[in-house]
Amino acid sequence: MSTKLLPTTKPIIEIVNVVASAVIDQKLDLYDIQKKFPDVDYHPEQFPGAVFRLRNPKTATLLFSTGKMVCTGSKSEEMARKAVKTVVQKLRKEKIKIKKDAVVTIQNIVSSINLGGKIDLERTARTLPRSMYEPEQFPGVIHRMVDPKTVILLFASGKLVCTGAKTEKDVYRSVNNLHSMLEERDLMLYG
């Protein structure tokens, strides 16, 4: 017989990567950018985009000749927006004409979570709707949340990975909703 202890802490949620897309509504000459920024990686025979890395905020922004960009590596929505803005400012400073500011859209927020207790994966997969558990293929339960629309990977250790959120608020809502469901259905073990 297991002893159920009440949780002493809320889930610890850490945003580990924000992926943002951006458009500047004009073409970019990636060869020119590579000439003016020797640190920019551009190998069109391998990949059609140039990689513009920033130290602060520590991110990588892919630049495409279409004027589209994809920024990865930031730890918040605000940091992703700041990174794209910084890349555009640096390009302008080197006389690369960019008429409009970039329009940034958050595409995906990935977070790592610790619930502070163990999870019964077998029972969780049977109990929670839209959950899948095939331990011979993957060691965690894959749970698809409808509102907000996210996918959460649950591991027996009580650690989770949440992906698919478009806002930080959605990350917190998803995790807190799932945590409540796990506790209400007695699927968490603390202590």
Side-chain angles (χ1 to χ4, degrees), residues 125-145:
R126 286 192 312 267
T127 309
L128 292 185
R130 298 171 311 284
S131 293
M132 187 173 83
Y133 183 47
E134 294 179 25
E136 56 287 337
Q137 289 181 13
F138 183 73
V141 169
I142 301 168
H143 176 70
R144 296 182 187 287
M145 193 163 278

Side-chain angles (χ1 to χ4, degrees), residues 22-24 26-38 40 50-54 61-64 67-69 83-102:
V23 288
I24 54 169
Q26 71 179 65
K27 301 270 185 231
L28 288 173
D29 181 342
L30 299 181
Y31 288 106
D32 189 34
I33 291 170
Q34 186 185 30
K35 263 187 238 150
K36 292 178 177 176
F37 296 91
V40 167
V51 184
F52 198 119
R53 289 182 179 80
L54 293 178
T61 301
L62 301 174
L63 306 175
F64 297 94
K68 292 185 175 162
M69 303 177 192
V84 170
K85 187 175 183 180
T86 301
V87 168
V88 169
Q89 285 171 342
K90 285 179 178 285
L91 293 173
R92 283 176 173 154
K93 194 173 176 186
E94 287 301 316
K95 308 287 185 262
I96 293 166
K97 288 186 177 20
I98 297 177
K99 296 175 272 250
K100 297 178 183 173
D101 288 337

Side-chain angles (χ1 to χ4, degrees), residues 1 9 15 25 33-34 60 72 84 100 104 107 117 121 130 142 147 175 177 181:
M1 189 167 133
T9 58
I15 292 173
D25 201 25
I33 291 170
Q34 186 185 30
T72 64
V84 170
K100 297 178 183 173
V104 179
Q107 297 295 337
L121 296 183
R130 298 171 311 284
I142 301 168
D147 182 32
V175 171
N177 289 349
M181 283 193 282

Side-chain angles (χ1 to χ4, degrees), residues 143-154:
H143 176 70
R144 296 182 187 287
M145 193 163 278
V146 175
D147 182 32
K149 189 176 182 209
T150 57
V151 174
I152 302 179
L153 308 176
L154 298 85

